Amino acid sequence: MNDKQFDIIKNGKGFIAALDQSGGSTPKALAEYGVTEDAYSNDEEMFKLVHDMRTRIITSPSFNKDKILGAILFEQTMDREIEGKYTGDYLWEEKGIVPFLKVDKGLEEEKDGVQLMKPIDNLNETLGRASERNIFGTKMRSVIKEPNISGIKAVVDQQFEFGKSIIASGLVPIIEPEVNIHSEHKARCEEILRDEIFRHLNDLTEEENVMLKLSIPTEANLYKELTEHPRVVRVVVLSGGYSRDEANEKLKENEDLIASFSRALAADLNANQSQADFDAALKDAVDTIYDASVNKK
């Protein structure tokens, strides 16, 4: 593990950019960026276009270490290059931004009010390649829709089971059990989730550390004790479908939480913008998300 990167993620002021849309979400991400499906005819062309989009974001002067601590990448982004360097190396060596990798393979069908992750059959191979690419940590996402105790327990059990394998490989896992913001019982889901996470955190050894990526809680500061747990490097939150303005306002109400936004970060970016307009739109997004992450009500 890179000690300098660990210190940046644990103690730095800023947020983590999520640039990890993959698989079925890639066409939607491109469409929101202004690239329609008639612009590509196969997956290789599609993934090149999405890498071009991410390259434009990462190389922009508005995307910098002054306000961005880390960036989460999709596997194909990790394996591609920016200006002759693997993306993770470019982020760290040229930008001073810590690279993470999304390792999950998507979601299972809903059962017991939750969606577990699909099996990650090639996890060890992926983690080995991530280490070669100088990746600091990983991210994996599950979804919680109902306050079903057994379902939420299964989600957290699975997350920490994979998390321990990731820790053993020398990387820091981001545990992401997302609570759907449209759940009628979102607050109750979050209470159950918090308690299940605590149960697992208390079972970790002093050498085992994790990060948490959670939905912005209905009850402000519900997760404050999680941010203070000695086994937690950092707690970040996702925008989860909220607009950037709404997500920022909710985030400001929560001490010690910082953003890890995806759609809310890139919402105003478009392939047809001039470079000046693109950089200005990205700067506005970065500035407002940074402010919500470091300046609390």
Side-chain angles (χ1 to χ4, degrees):
M1 183 186 301
N2 185 310
D3 291 339
K4 184 175 181 180
Q5 292 179 342
F6 187 92
D7 181 65
I8 288 171
I9 296 301
K10 185 169 182 60
N11 301 309
K13 288 188 175 183
F15 68 95
I16 294 176
L19 306 176
D20 59 331
Q21 301 99 330
S22 62
S25 64
T26 302
K28 182 179 179 182
L30 282 171
E32 290 172 348
Y33 181 57
V35 178
T36 56
E37 292 190 21
D38 58 6
Y40 51 90
S41 57
N42 54 51
D43 283 353
E44 178 59 29
E45 292 177 2
M46 177 183 72
F47 286 123
K48 182 185 182 304
L49 288 168
V50 82
H51 186 65
D52 291 344
M53 175 185 76
R54 288 165 180 156
T55 296
R56 195 180 187 194
I57 292 171
I58 290 169
T59 57
S60 170
S62 301
F63 196 89
N64 62 72
K65 67 179 181 180
D66 294 339
K67 296 184 177 180
I68 299 171
L69 306 177
I72 305 170
L73 308 175
F74 169 48
E75 193 172 342
Q76 287 216 22
T77 307
M78 175 188 74
D79 289 333
R80 291 175 185 259
E81 295 182 352
I82 296 177
E83 296 181 3
K85 294 185 176 184
Y86 284 116
T87 304
D89 289 333
Y90 182 88
L91 278 167
W92 179 240
E93 295 172 7
E94 302 297 327
K95 291 281 188 165
I97 293 171
V98 179
F100 292 81
L101 174 67
K102 167 187 161 70
V103 295
D104 70 81
K105 303 298 182 183
L107 301 170
E108 299 278 19
E109 294 297 318
E110 182 179 341
K111 180 183 178 182
D112 294 333
V114 304
Q115 288 180 274
L116 296 172
M117 293 181 287
K118 292 179 178 178
I120 312 176
D121 296 327
N122 64 338
L123 180 61
N124 288 336
E125 185 274 331
T126 301
L127 295 175
R129 207 164 72 258
S131 295
E132 293 173 359
R133 302 279 190 268
N134 299 311
I135 300 297
F136 172 78
T138 66
K139 191 210 82 162
M140 47 194 176
R141 171 178 172 263
S142 314
V143 173
I144 296 167
K145 297 180 178 179
E146 298 293 338
N148 183 305
I149 293 175
S150 62
I152 294 174
K153 179 181 184 299
V155 161
V156 181
D157 286 351
Q158 185 191 44
Q159 283 276 347
F160 275 86
E161 180 182 356
F162 282 125
K164 288 201 170 190
S165 296
I166 292 161
I167 292 167
S169 76
L171 304 180
V172 176
I174 299 177
I175 306 292
E176 185 185 7
E178 173 184 343
V179 176
N180 188 297
I181 65 168
H182 302 296
S183 171
E184 294 182 5
H185 306 286
K186 179 172 176 285
R188 179 58 184 151
C189 290
E190 290 162 347
E191 291 172 356
I192 298 169
L193 175 62
R194 176 198 57 191
D195 294 343
E196 284 298 319
I197 291 173
F198 262 121
R199 183 171 62 85
H200 279 276
L201 291 175
N202 291 333
D203 286 339
L204 296 178
T205 69
E206 291 185 3
E207 289 74 37
E208 295 176 320
N209 297 295
V210 302
M211 295 175 63
L212 302 172
K213 182 168 178 174
L214 307 171
S215 302
I216 304 172
T218 303
E219 177 188 335
N221 292 314
L222 179 73
Y223 297 135
K224 184 165 178 56
E225 288 183 90
L226 292 176
T227 69
E228 298 167 347
H229 196 285
R231 302 280 61 80
V232 175
V233 180
R234 203 76 185 249
V235 182
V236 304
V237 292
L238 53 111
S239 51
Y242 293 124
S243 69
R244 183 165 66 238
D245 288 345
E246 189 173 7
N248 284 339
E249 285 305 305
K250 290 179 180 295
L251 175 54
K252 287 179 182 179
E253 297 174 353
N254 289 272
E255 297 176 36
D256 301 322
L257 300 185
I258 65 172
S260 178
F261 292 172
S262 174
R263 282 167 291 184
L265 173 65
D268 296 333
L269 305 180
N270 191 281
N272 300 313
Q273 288 169 319
S274 68
Q275 194 60 45
D277 287 346
F278 180 92
D279 291 339
L282 181 57
K283 182 178 186 303
D284 182 63
V286 168
D287 288 349
T288 57
I289 295 170
Y290 173 85
D291 180 67
S293 295
V294 303
N295 296 316
K296 304 300 182 177
K297 291 182 179 178

